[in-house]
């Protein structure tokens, strides 16, 4: 499938941008399908990178985006529901539509991005929609590949930036006792896994869980960030019931800083399980959060001169 056209839905998002870059570097032509697509800064005139404005809720738009493509990636994501956009519309109905049209148009490999812990019976609306979306994709395209990354990090990511912002506080509140285990995965490693899946031979496995080299609890990750930024702060355990109350109080805000779904997810371990495909099946050695953290966060935080 070298030089083949791959359509990346959500190709302007945090993961999508890296998927586009890695596919291009591997010799593929890439179509960036998004509501407001833009050419990457690195793209030059004549490069086989095509931005296409589409709405994943439109069957004709999806069909147009998949025309001539031999592979497709659904990296469309929604983390907070809005008045006119729900998790169900994006992660279930939208994902099913992409998979259905991809199969009808003969797309050879369809990769659906989900997340570790996706579960149609979860208490979290977000996690529940992710789980239902996986089932809807497989129903529409039985040979689709499901990728479940752990929490992703990399330069400019929201996860590490949020932790760095917390170091502005004299006391940092923990989710519970900070014992929830995470397996943060570098965004480029996930993008490279997708490139491997677009190889000539269809993958034998249909479900992969992708975690980084380090398994750390939330407290340990915060301590790594504080050490890098040279900020020693007190870590204060806060019961999850109080976090749920805070999320409830914040819910009427247009852009709530905390949601019930986020609290639920932070109460559950997010690590690679047993009996699934992993980076090892793709001959990829994932990066360590500890080793790559300095390249992902500025060593001087903007607030350093004010808060020591």
């Amino acid at each position: 499938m070298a030089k083949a056209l791959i359509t990346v839905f959500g190709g302007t998002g945090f993961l999508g941008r890296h998927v586009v870059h890695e596919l291009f570097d591997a010799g593929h032509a890439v179509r960036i399908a998004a509501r407001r697509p833009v050419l990457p800064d690195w793209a030059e005139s004549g490069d086989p990178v095509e931005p296409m404005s589409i709405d994943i809720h439109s069957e004709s738009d999806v069909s147009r985006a998949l025309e001539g493509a031999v592979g497709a990636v659904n990296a469309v994501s929604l983390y907070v529901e809005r008045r006119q956009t729900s998790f169900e519309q994006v992660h279930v109905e939208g994902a099913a539509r992409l998979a259905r049209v991809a199969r009808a148009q003969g797309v050879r490999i369809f990769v659906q991005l989900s997340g570790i812990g996706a579960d149609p019976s979860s208490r979290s609306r977000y996690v529940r929609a992710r789980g239902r979306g996986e089932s809807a994709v497989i129903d529409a395209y039985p040979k689709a590949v499901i990728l479940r990354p752990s929490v992703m990090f990399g330069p400019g990511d929201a996860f590490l930036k949020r932790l760095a912002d917390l170091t502005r506080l004299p006391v940092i509140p923990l989710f519970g006792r900070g014992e929830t285990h995470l397996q943060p995965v570098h965004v480029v490693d996930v993008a490279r896994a997708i490139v491997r899946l677009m190889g000539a031979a269809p993958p034998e496995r249909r479900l992969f869980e992708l975690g980084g080299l380090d398994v750390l609890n939330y407290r340990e990750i915060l301590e790594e960030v504080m050490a890098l930024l040279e900020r020693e702060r007190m870590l204060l355990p806060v019961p999850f019931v109080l976090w749920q109350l805070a999320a409830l109080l914040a819910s009427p805000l247009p852009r709530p800083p905390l949601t019930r779904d986020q609290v639920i997810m932070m109460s559950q371990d997010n690590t690679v399980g047993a009996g699934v495909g992993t980076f090892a099946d793709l001959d990829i050695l994932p990066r360590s959060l500890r080793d790559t953290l300095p390249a992902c966060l500025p060593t001087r935080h903007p607030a350093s001169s004010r808060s020591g």
Side-chain angles (χ1 to χ4, degrees):
M1 290 177 64
K3 307 294 185 184
L5 173 63
I6 311 296
T7 298
V8 181
F9 293 95
T12 57
F14 177 59
L15 172 61
R17 294 194 307 270
H18 290 280
V19 172
V20 169
H21 195 189
E22 293 299 319
L23 285 169
F24 173 80
D25 279 353
H28 292 284
V30 187
R31 179 176 291 147
I32 303 171
R35 190 178 293 274
R36 289 180 291 274
V38 292
L39 275 174
D41 292 341
W42 48 261
E44 299 178 357
S45 177
D47 284 344
V49 180
E50 173 193 7
M52 180 179 287
S53 178
I54 68 111
D55 181 351
I56 65 167
H57 307 299
S58 164
E59 195 100 1
S60 60
D61 277 11
V62 172
S63 178
R64 182 166 52 90
L66 289 170
E67 186 175 347
V70 297
V73 180
N74 180 18
V76 176
S77 60
L78 178 71
Y79 297 106
V80 178
E81 290 184 301
R82 303 183 182 92
R83 184 171 299 177
Q84 298 178 337
T85 311
S86 69
F87 293 143
E88 182 79 12
Q89 290 172 317
V90 173
H91 295 304
V92 183
E93 297 170 9
R97 182 176 297 106
L98 300 188
R100 182 177 65 251
V101 176
R103 184 185 183 190
Q105 294 191 195
V107 173
R108 291 185 226 167
I109 297 182
F110 182 86
V111 177
Q112 167 71 16
L113 267 297
S114 183
I116 288 179
D119 180 357
S121 62
S122 172
R123 293 182 297 125
S124 161
R125 287 171 56 84
Y126 171 79
V127 175
R128 189 162 63 244
R130 280 296 200 184
R132 284 171 41 77
E134 289 183 0
S135 299
V137 165
I138 294 301
D139 286 345
Y141 193 148
K143 292 186 177 181
V145 178
I146 307 294
L147 286 191
R148 295 174 176 170
S150 184
V151 58
M152 287 184 285
F153 71 94
D157 76 279
F159 174 64
L160 292 178
K161 181 182 183 301
R162 189 175 298 118
L163 298 186
D165 287 343
L166 286 175
T167 66
R168 298 179 180 182
L169 303 174
V171 177
I172 301 177
L174 292 173
F175 287 96
R177 300 187 62 83
E179 295 174 347
T180 302
H181 286 87
L182 306 173
Q183 197 169 350
V185 59
H186 199 288
V187 64
V188 172
D189 291 332
V190 177
R192 289 177 178 170
I194 292 171
V195 173
R196 292 289 175 90
L197 290 167
M198 292 295 168
E204 294 182 5
R205 290 186 179 271
R206 299 294 171 186
L207 175 62
F208 291 80
E209 292 194 350
L210 305 178
L213 202 58
D214 300 324
V215 176
L216 303 167
N217 64 36
Y218 182 67
R219 176 188 290 267
E220 290 171 327
I221 297 173
L222 265 171
E223 289 171 343
E224 291 287 337
V225 172
M226 288 191 298
L228 176 67
L229 299 178
E230 299 181 353
R231 292 167 175 273
E232 187 174 346
R233 295 289 185 265
M234 177 182 172
L235 300 178
L236 177 67
V238 176
F240 279 99
V241 65
L242 294 183
W243 283 110
Q244 289 283 12
L245 177 59
L248 178 63
L249 294 174
S251 61
L253 298 174
R255 294 180 180 273
L258 182 71
T259 68
R260 179 175 179 270
D261 292 286
Q262 291 168 338
V263 175
I264 292 172
M265 288 188 285
M266 282 307 303
S267 70
Q268 301 168 345
D269 288 346
N270 194 264
T271 58
V272 172
V276 295
T278 66
F279 278 121
D281 295 283
L282 300 171
D283 294 322
I284 294 174
L285 178 64
R287 295 155 218 238
S288 160
L289 174 68
R290 287 189 171 104
D291 292 343
T292 54
L293 192 58
C296 298
L297 279 178
T299 54
R300 288 189 174 275
H301 195 272
S304 61
S305 61
R306 296 191 297 273
S307 55

